[in-house]
Amino acid sequence: MGNPYSVSLILLPGFSLFTLGAVRTAFTVANEVEGEALYRLRQFSPEGEAALSQCGLTLAAEPLAGLNSEQPGLLLLIADERLDERLSEESSQQLGQQLRRLGQDSVWVLGACGTGAQVLAQHGLLDGYRAAIDWQFQAEAAQRYPDTMFTPGLYELDRNRISAGAGAAVIDLLLHWMGKRHGSMFAAEVAVALGLDRLRGGDERQPVPASAQPAVGSTRLKDALELMAANLAEPLPAEDIAQLVGVSRRQLERLFRQHLDTFPSRYYLELRLKHARRQLKQTTLSIQQVGLACGFTSGSHFSTTYRNYFACTPREERARHTMPLVESYNAGEEME
């Protein structure tokens, strides 16, 4: 038996436990199907010896400095949030240096899932490559990194760069990547062992909630929605959005009423508030940080607007989410 292929998982702040579980399960099942250790996994954190997940739990991880660049393999970034304010400047610089060093070696495969592709693109490692990213960040990423071709598909395999959107798409990505290494029959066996009835193609589009899908044929409305989603922290005035998509403000309002039965300002506000709700439930950001990330410069304005829409304050929302978690841990300790 040869040496297992090295897989280094980089857990970035706010990573999804679901995504990490899917990745580890795919490789574990691959080893079981083969009957020997094809892959050896290690997980690292650029922030030290612990990685903070999206739901607030921390997992043990090795410091990034411990990554052995002399043993080539797959390096997979696991991220599910915008990282500008989550990763310290020092950690970001160290991560960038490590990625650029590995990226110069053609035997390394650099991968990303969720929002991880934005990190590779930030350091020029996706210039001239096709890449997949969580659909919610696609428009923003395409604008910030024009040298990378971000696609709406589930995943992309482009030479020694692989990437997937959010959620279960990472399983499809890894199965196709394994198929290229071990043959399609092997990938099919792993898929069956995972309980999958088929392998999805990379050109299949990521599932997008109906509330975020404009009517067919309304390209300008689609562009307006993408602009709103990409500018939550600093909301754009309606006049600017209309100008950027090539219509008048009145025409923009007509499109929103016709296809979404609402006004642009109302839709934009709901988008920001729903994003704030996810942040309150899934991250440990302070309430002030959440408000700023969603375009509310005043804490009182954020609290009042949130209460008027959800019938509870941001502080009450945070408490609703954290109390059941604490109670479950206490119950577990009592049972032990």
Side-chain angles (χ1 to χ4, degrees), residues 280 287 313-325:
L280 290 169
I287 293 174
T313 66
R315 190 174 302 279
E316 291 168 342
E317 188 75 78
R318 173 62 60 79
R320 286 180 183 178
H321 176 65
T322 56
M323 285 305 294
L325 184 63

Side-chain angles (χ1 to χ4, degrees), residues 14-17 52-57 81 281-284 321 325:
F15 72 93
S16 164
L17 290 175
L52 180 64
S53 70
Q54 191 179 65
C55 64
L57 298 179
E81 295 182 359
K281 289 182 174 182
Q282 299 174 358
T283 76
T284 57
H321 176 65
L325 184 63

Side-chain angles (χ1 to χ4, degrees), residues 64 91-101 123 125:
L64 194 59
S91 297
S92 180
Q93 290 177 352
Q94 292 176 352
L95 176 60
Q97 292 172 358
Q98 186 78 287
L99 291 175
R100 286 191 294 271
R101 181 165 60 251
H123 298 289
L125 296 168

Side-chain angles (χ1 to χ4, degrees), residues 51-163:
L52 180 64
S53 70
Q54 191 179 65
C55 64
L57 298 179
T58 57
L59 296 184
E62 300 178 58
L64 194 59
L67 178 62
N68 182 9
S69 59
E70 296 179 359
Q71 184 181 5
L74 166 65
L75 182 145
L76 186 63
L77 296 171
I78 300 181
D80 288 85
E81 295 182 359
R82 186 180 286 103
L83 297 172
D84 296 355
E85 299 179 358
R86 298 298 302 274
L87 198 60
S88 69
E89 184 176 351
E90 181 181 358
S91 297
S92 180
Q93 290 177 352
Q94 292 176 352
L95 176 60
Q97 292 172 358
Q98 186 78 287
L99 291 175
R100 286 191 294 271
R101 181 165 60 251
L102 299 181
Q104 294 172 356
D105 195 335
S106 61
V107 299
W108 273 88
V109 178
L110 300 185
C113 53
T115 60
Q118 66 179 330
V119 180
L120 294 179
Q122 177 186 351
H123 298 289
L125 296 168
L126 287 178
D127 290 358
Y129 287 86
R130 295 170 63 86
I133 193 170
D134 186 336
W135 68 269
Q136 298 179 83
F137 298 86
Q138 184 190 347
E140 176 185 0
Q143 187 176 39
R144 294 180 65 177
Y145 310 110
D147 293 329
T148 301
M149 184 180 297
F150 288 98
T151 66
L154 291 171
Y155 59 86
E156 289 288 347
L157 294 90
D158 189 351
R159 291 159 285 173
N160 61 339
R161 301 287 188 269
I162 65 175
S163 53

Side-chain angles (χ1 to χ4, degrees), residues 81 275-283 285 290 294 318:
E81 295 182 359
H275 183 65
R277 193 181 200 184
R278 288 195 296 270
Q279 295 285 301
L280 290 169
K281 289 182 174 182
Q282 299 174 358
T283 76
L285 293 175
V290 171
C294 297
R318 173 62 60 79

Side-chain angles (χ1 to χ4, degrees), residues 171-293:
I171 295 181
D172 298 284
L173 168 70
L174 294 176
L175 289 176
H176 278 79
W177 180 71
M178 290 180 193
K180 288 182 175 292
R181 301 193 73 238
H182 309 290
S184 57
M185 287 298 294
F186 176 81
E189 288 183 50
V190 176
V192 170
L194 287 169
L196 304 178
D197 58 356
R198 73 180 184 94
L199 297 181
R200 295 185 294 177
D203 57 349
E204 293 187 38
R205 297 180 69 90
Q206 297 181 46
V208 178
S211 60
Q213 296 181 14
V216 175
S218 181
T219 303
R220 288 189 171 89
L221 179 56
K222 177 177 180 294
D223 291 342
L225 296 182
E226 290 179 348
L227 279 171
M228 290 179 177
N231 294 274
L232 298 179
E234 298 182 7
L236 298 172
E239 292 82 357
D240 291 356
I241 295 175
Q243 183 177 6
L244 288 169
V245 302
V247 297
S248 67
R249 176 170 179 170
R250 181 171 296 181
Q251 288 173 316
L252 183 67
E253 292 176 347
R254 190 179 301 120
L255 285 172
F256 271 80
R257 288 199 304 271
Q258 178 182 350
H259 298 298
L260 299 176
D261 193 28
T262 189
F263 289 93
S265 58
R266 180 65 180 175
Y267 179 91
Y268 207 171
L269 178 61
E270 290 179 351
L271 191 67
R272 292 159 53 206
L273 287 170
K274 289 176 181 177
H275 183 65
R277 193 181 200 184
R278 288 195 296 270
Q279 295 285 301
L280 290 169
K281 289 182 174 182
Q282 299 174 358
T283 76
T284 57
L285 293 175
S286 70
I287 293 174
Q288 182 181 8
Q289 288 174 320
V290 171
L292 290 173

